[in-house]
Amino acid sequence: MLRMSAHFNFFQLKSVCSHLFTCVALCASLSMEKPLCAQIIFAQPVAAAEAITVGDVGTSPHKMPGFSISVDEKKLNLLDDYERYIRHQMWEKALSTLKELAETKSTSPLLPTTDGFLVDAEHRIWLAITSLPAEGREAFRLFFDGKANKQFEEISSESGFFDPKVISKAKNIYSQYFLTSVGDDVAELLGNDAFERGEFALAAHYWKSILDHHPDSNLPEIDLNVKLALALIRSHQLELADANIQLIAQQFPDKKIMMGGRSIDPVSYLQSLITEKPVKSRNSVEQPDTSFALLKQSVNLQQTKSKPKWKLSFLDKSVVQAIMNSQSNYYGRRKSYITFVPPMAVDSKRAYFNFYGVCFGVDLQSGKLVWRNSKFQTLGTHFNNYSFHQSTCLQQYHISVSSDYVLATMIPQKEMNHYRARYRLMAYHKETGKELWTSNIGNESFISKPLVDGDHIYIISHTQNNKLLTLNSLSLKTGKKEWSIPLGTVVAGTSSSGMPLMPVPILQKKGDNLLVLTNNGALFEIAIPSKTVNWVFRYPYKASQQNQNYYYAAIKEEIELHTNGQMIRDQGLVYFKEAGANEVFALDLVAKKVIWKRPVKVSAQIVGIDQNNVYLLSKELEAIDRKTHQLNWSVSLPIAAGGLSALIAPKEVLVFTSRGIFEISKTNGDINRIYRGSDLTSLGGAIDFCNDLVICVSNQSVTAYPVASKLSPDNSDTEKSVP
C-alpha cells in the first residue's frame, strides 16, 4: 500500500498535468496560421434581486457595524487557512489544518459564513467539509477513513445505540468525518435518535444530509426520503414536506415500503398526515402571527352618523396639561408623548391596554372598564418629574394576554421618579386585574414584549448600565427564571437627556425555534430544546452616538409616529424591517439567503402582507411586490400618531388616521371612502378587528365600531373624496 504522502503526490501530479494540458492546447491554438478573431461577449445583466451584497464587500458578519457577537478568532483563522489550501488544491495541508481545527477548543459557539450569517461552529466546519470538490473528498477519505471506522466500531459495540454517551460520540464523528464511508450510517443513527426525542427538524437535517452528500450510500433511498418527509411534517415544514412527497411519487412510482409490519404506499400515507393536525414536539406550542390582521372578507362599517358600539376615554385632562408642560420644561417634546398610542392585547371577551404603566381591561361587548391597576390622573404628577423623562422609553411599554394572565412591562408607578428606573414584568389576573407577581431578576430591565408559550414566557432583558442582551425563559405561574441565553452586545443610541437608548427586540416562535429580531442589526434563530443559537443573520446598522436631539429641534417622523421594527413570516420566508433602519429584507429561512432587500423610509413600518404585496405605513401607505420588490403603489395619508397598523382585507386596506378610517384599494392605492367615526379630536392610531368589531385605539380613547352584515347596503353618507 502506498504511503499517505504518495497519495497526495499523486493528486498534485494530476492537478499539474491538467494545467499543463490546458497550456499546451492554448499554445497550439496561438500557433495556428489563421489569425484569431476578437470576440465580444455580452453578459446578461444580473437581476437586482439576485445580486445581493449584505454590508460592505468582504466584511465578515461579526465585523459589521451594529450588534456585536463574539467569534472564535483562532478557529476563524484556521478555517481561512483551510479554505485557502482547498482553493490551491493543497490537500495534505488542508486536511492537517482541518484536524487541528476540530481539535481546537472553542471560545465561542459561532463562526461566520460568506453570506452574512453566523452559524454553530461545528456546523460551519461541517459546511466547509461538505463543500470539498471531488478530488478533495477522495483525499478526505484516505486521510480520515481509518480513524472514523475505528470510532464507529467502538460505539457500535457499546450497549444501547440511544445512550447519551454514544450519541455524543456519534455527533463528533458526524461533524468531523461525515464524508468518510461511515458518515451516512452515523447520520442515520443521529436522525433516528433526534426523531425519537421529538426534535423533528434536527432529524430532517441528518437524513437530508445523507441524500445530499452520500449518493453512494447503501441505505435505501426511498426509506430516507420517507423518513425525511415524515420529519418535515412533524416539524410543521409542510411546503418542504409536500415537495419531498412529490419527489417520492416521481422517482419511486408504485413502490411500497414496510411500516409497522405491513406494506403501505408511502405517498398516500404521507399525504394523509399533511391533512391531519400535525403532531407537536414536547416543547412546541404553535404561535400564530398576530403582528397584523389579515381578514377573509371585506369590512363594511355601519353609517358614520350612528354612534359607535362604545367608546372609552383614558386621557385625563390633568395628564394632558402635564404632557404639555413637560414639552417645554423637561424635554418631553423629544419623546412625543402627545402622539403615543397605548399597546393593546385582545382575547375573546376583553381588550387590555398599557398606558404608561396604567393597565386596564375593557369589555368588548359593552365597552365598560372591567378593571385597572391605577387611576389615570395619577400619571400627571410623574410627567412633572425629570427622572421620569430620563428613564422612560415609550417602546418598552408592552402588554400580552394568555390563559388567565395579562402580562405587562412597565416602570411601576412607585418607581417612576427613581433615577434610571428599571422596566419590570408584572402579571395580573385577566378577570379581576389582581396583581399576581412581579418578576425581579437581579438588576435586569425587560425591553421586549413577553411571548407566552404554554407555561413559559420568553422575554429579552439587559442589566442596567450594561448593553448585553439576554433571552430569558420564565415561569408563567411564578415569573421566576428557568434558563437564559446571552445573545450579544447592542450599539445603543442616545436619548435627548443623554441616557442610553436600548433597542426593543421582537420575538416570534414557530415549532421548536424562536426568531429574535434585535432591531440592532441582527436576526437570531434560537433552538429552544437545546437552548442554543442555530444561526444569526447580520446586516449593517447605524446608531447615533451623539446627542444632537435638542428639545427645541424638529421632531423626526419616526419619533412622532413611534415607528417599531416588525417581522412577518410566511411560506418559509421572513419579511422584516428594523426600527431606525432604511431597508426592508426578504429572507429565505430554509436556504439561509437574502431573496431581496429594498430601501424604504426610516419612519416606515411593516403592517401586513398578502399574496402579492408587503405593506408599509408611515405618513403614506406603500405596497411593495413580494416577488419583484418593486413599488406597486403608494398613497399619502393624514397619519399623525403612533400605533402604526392596518386591516388587510381581500380587496382593501383599512387605516385609522387623524381624519377617520381610510379604505384604500389594494389594486391601485386609490382611496375608496373615508369613515369619519366619532373620535374626531384624536390624532388617529391603531386599528384591529375582533368579534365583529373594528377597534380603534387613538392617543386619547378606545372606540369600537360594529361591522355591517354582507347584505347591508353601501353607506350613502360615507365620504368618497380624497382629503
Side-chain angles (χ1 to χ4, degrees):
M1 181 179 290
L2 292 174
R3 292 185 298 108
M4 188 64 65
S5 58
H7 283 290
F8 283 110
N9 290 335
F10 172 70
F11 287 124
Q12 299 287 357
L13 181 61
K14 285 175 62 179
S15 177
V16 170
C17 291
S18 175
H19 290 302
L20 182 61
F21 178 79
T22 304
C23 293
V24 170
L26 180 60
C27 293
S29 64
L30 291 174
S31 62
M32 295 173 64
E33 294 182 359
K34 293 183 179 181
L36 291 175
C37 298
Q39 293 183 339
I40 301 177
I41 301 175
F42 292 92
Q44 294 293 330
V46 180
E50 297 175 357
I52 297 297
T53 302
V54 180
D56 299 329
V57 177
T59 302
S60 183
H62 70 291
K63 294 182 179 179
M64 290 182 181
F67 200 89
S68 176
I69 303 171
S70 63
V71 300
D72 191 327
E73 292 291 345
K74 183 177 180 180
K75 277 202 167 187
L76 183 58
N77 292 333
L78 287 172
L79 188 62
D80 290 340
D81 291 341
Y82 164 79
E83 292 178 337
R84 184 175 69 255
Y85 293 143
I86 292 298
R87 288 194 299 271
H88 292 86
Q89 298 183 350
M90 302 169 68
W91 308 121
E92 188 169 9
K93 286 188 175 182
L95 298 179
S96 297
T97 304
L98 185 63
K99 182 180 178 182
E100 183 182 357
L101 186 62
E103 294 173 350
T104 302
K105 292 184 178 180
S106 295
T107 59
S108 171
L110 299 174
L111 284 175
T113 65
T114 57
D115 51 4
F117 283 84
L118 292 104
V119 298
D120 177 76
E122 288 190 357
H123 182 62
R124 177 66 180 90
I125 297 170
W126 184 87
L127 290 174
I129 293 172
T130 54
S131 63
L132 281 169
E135 289 186 26
R137 287 171 178 249
E138 191 174 346
F140 184 91
R141 286 199 173 187
L142 286 170
F143 200 86
F144 292 117
D145 217 51
K147 189 172 184 179
N149 273 283
K150 182 179 179 181
Q151 291 187 14
F152 186 66
E153 288 174 2
E154 290 176 358
I155 66 173
S156 300
S157 62
E158 296 184 21
S159 60
F161 260 124
F162 297 130
D163 181 84
K165 293 182 179 179
V166 173
I167 295 302
S168 178
K169 293 178 181 178
K171 287 181 178 179
N172 288 334
I173 299 174
Y174 179 82
S175 62
Q176 297 178 26
Y177 311 125
F178 175 66
L179 291 184
T180 63
S181 58
V182 298
D184 53 342
D185 295 315
V186 172
E188 186 194 29
L189 168 65
L190 292 173
N192 294 340
D193 172 70
F195 194 88
E196 288 293 326
R197 290 185 287 106
E199 296 185 24
F200 304 121
L202 184 60
H205 163 74
Y206 285 128
W207 291 328
K208 188 174 186 301
S209 67
I210 302 174
L211 293 168
D212 290 343
H213 302 290
H214 273 272
D216 56 345
S217 174
N218 293 325
L219 299 172
E221 187 176 352
I222 185 172
D223 290 353
L224 289 172
N225 274 288
V226 171
K227 291 200 292 186
L228 172 59
L230 187 59
L232 291 172
I233 293 171
R234 298 305 192 209
S235 59
H236 321 302
Q237 302 179 64
L238 300 184
E239 296 89 354
L240 294 176
D242 186 62
N244 194 252
I245 294 171
Q246 293 181 22
L247 179 68
I248 295 171
Q250 293 172 2
Q251 294 188 356
F252 308 99
D254 303 323
K255 184 78 173 179
K256 304 289 185 180
I257 63 168
M258 295 299 296
M259 184 172 290
R262 58 192 181 92
S263 178
I264 63 169
D265 176 19
V267 175
S268 301
Y269 172 71
L270 293 170
Q271 287 176 340
S272 68
L273 293 179
I274 287 185
T275 58
E276 296 176 1
K277 186 176 181 180
V279 176
K280 298 178 181 179
S281 70
R282 60 187 177 187
N283 297 292
S284 174
V285 176
E286 199 67 21
Q287 294 290 336
D289 191 345
T290 57
S291 56
F292 73 104
L294 182 62
L295 307 181
K296 295 182 179 179
Q297 62 185 36
S298 296
V299 175
N300 295 316
L301 292 173
Q302 292 182 357
Q303 294 182 358
T304 55
K305 289 182 179 179
S306 63
K307 294 182 179 180
K309 187 174 181 66
W310 53 262
K311 180 179 178 180
L312 184 144
S313 297
F314 52 79
L315 188 61
D316 187 79
K317 291 182 179 179
S318 62
V319 178
V320 175
Q321 186 59 49
I323 289 176
M324 299 303 294
N325 294 339
S326 71
Q327 289 188 347
S328 58
N329 297 334
Y330 296 102
Y331 305 97
R333 184 167 178 267
R334 299 302 311 154
K335 300 277 188 177
S336 195
Y337 293 115
I338 199 65
T339 63
F340 175 68
V341 174
M344 173 179 64
V346 181
D347 62 16
S348 59
K349 294 182 179 180
R350 300 181 184 89
Y352 308 90
F353 303 88
N354 184 353
F355 185 57
Y356 299 110
V358 177
C359 297
F360 57 99
V362 180
D363 185 270
L364 286 178
Q365 294 304 314
S366 65
K368 292 183 178 180
L369 184 66
V370 179
W371 59 264
R372 64 184 179 188
N373 65 350
S374 182
K375 295 181 179 180
F376 296 117
Q377 55 265 35
T378 58
L379 289 172
T381 58
H382 300 294
F383 278 98
N384 291 322
N385 191 292
Y386 181 66
S387 295
F388 171 76
H389 300 292
Q390 276 195 319
S391 302
T392 187
C393 175
L394 302 187
Q395 278 72 27
Q396 287 182 225
Y397 288 99
H398 303 290
I399 193 162
S400 299
V401 59
S402 180
S403 184
D404 294 328
Y405 298 83
V406 173
L407 303 174
T409 56
M410 68 182 77
I411 300 175
Q413 288 207 14
K414 61 182 179 181
E415 300 177 12
M416 278 187 173
N417 297 331
H418 292 185
Y419 175 71
R420 301 195 67 180
R422 291 180 292 148
Y423 276 77
R424 309 293 186 95
L425 176 63
M426 306 185 73
Y428 300 92
H429 195 282
K430 73 173 186 178
E431 299 288 341
T432 63
K434 178 183 177 181
E435 183 179 330
L436 300 176
W437 50 259
T438 299
S439 185
N440 192 7
I441 305 174
N443 198 28
E444 296 286 314
S445 182
F446 296 101
I447 59 177
S448 73
K449 181 178 179 179
L451 174 64
V452 181
D453 177 28
D455 294 329
H456 312 284
I457 305 169
Y458 301 113
I459 191 168
I460 305 290
S461 67
H462 75 99
T463 305
Q464 290 290 67
N465 303 318
N466 195 320
K467 299 176 183 178
L468 174 68
L469 295 191
T470 302
L471 170 65
N472 304 281
S473 175
L474 311 179
S475 168
L476 178 61
K477 295 181 180 179
T478 64
K480 294 182 178 180
K481 181 188 287 190
E482 297 171 332
W483 52 265
S484 63
I485 301 173
L487 298 180
T489 305
V490 303
V491 177
T494 307
S495 69
S496 57
S497 56
M499 307 302 290
L501 195 60
M502 297 293 290
V504 178
I506 299 169
L507 309 181
Q508 279 190 12
K509 182 177 181 293
K510 187 170 185 180
D512 293 335
N513 295 322
L514 187 70
L515 281 182
V516 180
L517 182 66
T518 62
N519 276 308
N520 201 248
L523 175 66
F524 283 76
E525 184 182 79
I526 309 294
I528 294 176
S530 59
K531 304 176 183 61
T532 56
V533 177
N534 285 340
W535 51 261
V536 185
F537 175 59
R538 287 284 288 108
Y539 37 92
Y541 178 85
K542 294 181 180 179
S544 175
Q545 297 296 307
Q546 297 180 351
N547 179 19
Q548 298 176 345
N549 299 323
Y550 302 106
Y551 73 94
Y552 52 79
I555 301 175
K556 294 181 180 179
E557 186 174 307
E558 57 268 26
I559 296 176
E560 177 189 356
L561 303 184
H562 303 279
T563 303
N564 294 318
Q566 190 58 271
M567 62 176 168
I568 297 175
R569 181 164 28 188
D570 184 57
Q571 297 179 0
L573 301 179
V574 61
Y575 302 88
F576 69 91
K577 179 196 173 291
E578 291 199 332
N582 61 355
E583 286 183 315
V584 58
F585 286 84
L587 188 69
D588 190 322
L589 295 176
V590 178
K592 293 184 179 58
K593 67 176 182 180
V594 177
I595 302 300
W596 55 259
K597 65 176 182 177
R598 176 188 171 85
V600 292
K601 294 172 63 176
V602 174
S603 59
Q605 177 178 318
I606 297 178
V607 293
I609 63 171
D610 59 18
Q611 189 174 0
N612 301 314
N613 297 319
V614 179
Y615 297 96
L616 293 99
L617 183 63
S618 53
K619 290 196 173 183
E620 60 183 2
L621 179 65
E622 301 172 89
I624 297 176
D625 192 281
R626 288 179 61 172
K627 293 182 179 179
T628 66
H629 68 278
Q630 300 298 316
L631 179 66
N632 285 335
W633 52 260
S634 68
V635 56
S636 295
L637 297 172
I639 304 294
L644 297 176
S645 54
L647 295 181
I648 313 297
K651 296 182 179 180
E652 63 277 339
V653 179
L654 277 73
V655 180
F656 178 36
T657 75
S658 60
R659 296 191 60 190
I661 301 173
F662 279 55
E663 181 186 293
I664 298 108
S665 169
K666 291 170 66 174
T667 303
N668 51 23
D670 288 347
I671 297 174
N672 294 336
R673 53 178 60 86
I674 305 171
Y675 303 93
R676 293 299 181 190
S678 64
D679 199 2
L680 301 178
T681 60
S682 77
L683 299 177
I687 187 170
D688 205 344
F689 183 81
C690 184
N691 290 0
D692 294 327
L693 293 173
V694 173
I695 303 173
C696 294
V697 188
S698 71
N699 60 314
Q700 61 187 24
S701 61
V702 186
T703 310
Y705 299 97
V707 175
S709 65
K710 294 181 180 179
L711 300 178
S712 299
D714 195 10
N715 300 321
S716 59
D717 62 342
T718 55
E719 299 186 26
K720 297 187 179 181
S721 60
V722 177

